[in-house]
Amino acid sequence: MTKGQTLESMSPELLRVVERVRRDPHARQRSLAYLIDIGALRRSYTGLRKGAAVGVDGVTKAAYGEGLEGNLQDLHRRMREMKYRHQPLRRVRIAKGKGQTRPIGISATEDKIVQGALREILEAVYEPTFRECSYGFRRGRSAHDALRTLNCVVRTGKVSVILEADIQSFFDSVDRPLLRKMLEQRIADKSFKRLVAKCLHMGVLEGEEFSRPEVGTAQGSIISPILGNIFLHNVLDVWFEDEVKPRLAGEATLIRYADDFIICFEHARDAERTMDVLRQRMDRFKLKLHPDKTRLVELRRPSRNEPGGKGPKTLSFLGFVVYWRRNRQGPGWHLSWKTRAARLQRAISGITDYCRSHRHTSVASQHLALKRRIQGHFNYFGVNDNTRCLSALVFQVERAWYKWLNRRSQRSRLNWERFRALLRDYPLPAPRVYANLWID
């Protein structure tokens, strides 16, 4: 189920599917396509984000909504008559850091509506079977929950080594025939599978260049997260919990958020053996572990008498650097987090670019946009022990804002005293803990 979706918001027909799956989670579902009715399409349209990027047809949500009921009736008719065709994705590239970019596929508004309706059904079918180790794109679960689980597992004192893994270009590497076989294990409805296939086998338009990839699910599309979860549920979660974990000498815990995952081990020998078989497992499903970013990290709790203020090793997970930090009061150590340098620099660069390109808009408009960007960053990275990184972001934002406000005109110059007065009238968000990771 999606983040905002509850049992109360589901249609009676979809609720019956949920109950059927709960009674027998592994039974094949033979009738699903009928659930994509006008109501399902309308719910999907309502859930679309306002102001979202448009696809190749240039139609916005607002424009599609001007004749919403007629458009939904026409879309439903074409789907029922098997005349619906998915339009090509519009591919854009966003900065990833160190000069790299990440390709993002943007679907047309009508295709987003179809994908949202399909996702609603897929989540109802698969949610009861997903394992507890999976946190990404699931109702009531978040990246902060994954980090809290890591903290709880490490606090038991039974973690000495952590396998930090990175799958290279996961969404672009998903093998479609293998994914279809996984879907067939749970879904027997041919019409429904045909619609899912249309969301997989579409063209891609990047600038003026058209291509038709044979592998992968488009990162950025509405349906990709649930399809990725289904794929890794079969490739990783079930395999580790049912086959690997029982054969280990000590305790082990898998924590996965979408395609980012770590495995905590009590014994180093278990970690080494699992790393060897994990590469073979990924190769079997045509996935590759990044050779430089996949490693074993010794994250044992430091001894009380260990010198220094930080533990010996650090771990990178979900945009954070995870490390041991000495307690401020009393002896001992605790697990701590700080923003990865690349993520912090990306946020600073993005806000600096905004200040430069919007320096001639009103100060009130700039302030509102900066507040939104900073608050969005704080909502995720505002965790325990990370206020120094949050303060660094605010400091750099103030410098960038001051610099580009000074370039609005050649006649008057804005000195720091006047800028401080401006900040009193237009304050930026204050660094603080927005998500407590130390709670159980």
Side-chain angles (χ1 to χ4, degrees), residues 213-282:
E214 296 297 327
V215 295
T217 66
Q219 189 171 0
S221 70
I222 291 176
I223 201 173
S224 284
I226 179 63
L227 293 178
N229 265 344
I230 293 170
F231 197 80
L232 285 178
H233 168 76
N234 288 275
V235 173
L236 182 63
D237 301 354
V238 174
W239 169 74
F240 178 79
E241 295 289 341
D242 295 351
E243 298 184 30
V244 176
K245 197 171 178 179
R247 292 179 170 86
L248 301 179
E251 295 188 13
T253 303
L254 168 66
I255 304 173
R256 180 176 68 82
Y257 186 91
D259 58 323
D260 293 328
F261 69 93
I262 57 174
I263 308 178
C264 307
F265 294 93
E266 183 179 3
H267 301 311
R269 178 56 181 160
D270 286 341
E272 294 168 357
R273 291 171 55 200
T274 302
M275 188 170 182
D276 291 338
V277 297
L278 179 62
R279 294 186 187 278
Q280 300 173 19
R281 179 72 176 180
M282 291 295 169

Side-chain angles (χ1 to χ4, degrees), residues 92-109:
V92 297
R93 295 184 178 271
I94 61 174
K96 189 179 178 180
K98 296 184 179 180
Q100 297 180 332
T101 60
R102 175 184 286 113
I104 299 294
I106 302 175
S107 303
T109 298

Side-chain angles (χ1 to χ4, degrees), residues 322-392:
V322 186
Y323 62 99
W324 285 107
R325 182 173 182 174
R326 191 179 292 277
N327 295 333
R328 294 178 181 177
Q329 298 179 349
W333 300 76
H334 64 271
L335 207 62
S336 188
W337 299 266
K338 65 180 179 180
T339 311
R340 286 185 59 196
R343 294 293 295 268
L344 180 59
Q345 185 56 50
R346 189 191 310 173
I348 294 171
S349 299
I351 294 178
T352 301
D353 290 342
Y354 171 84
C355 292
R356 180 178 62 250
S357 59
H358 292 79
R359 62 185 181 273
H360 294 298
T361 60
S362 68
V363 172
S365 297
Q366 292 184 50
H367 174 249
L368 182 60
L370 291 177
K371 276 184 60 179
R372 288 174 176 170
R373 285 165 169 78
I374 295 173
Q375 192 61 59
H377 184 90
F378 282 6
N379 288 344
Y380 184 77
F381 289 103
V383 302
N384 312 79
D385 283 349
N386 197 33
T387 52
R388 179 178 294 181
C389 291
L390 304 185
S391 299

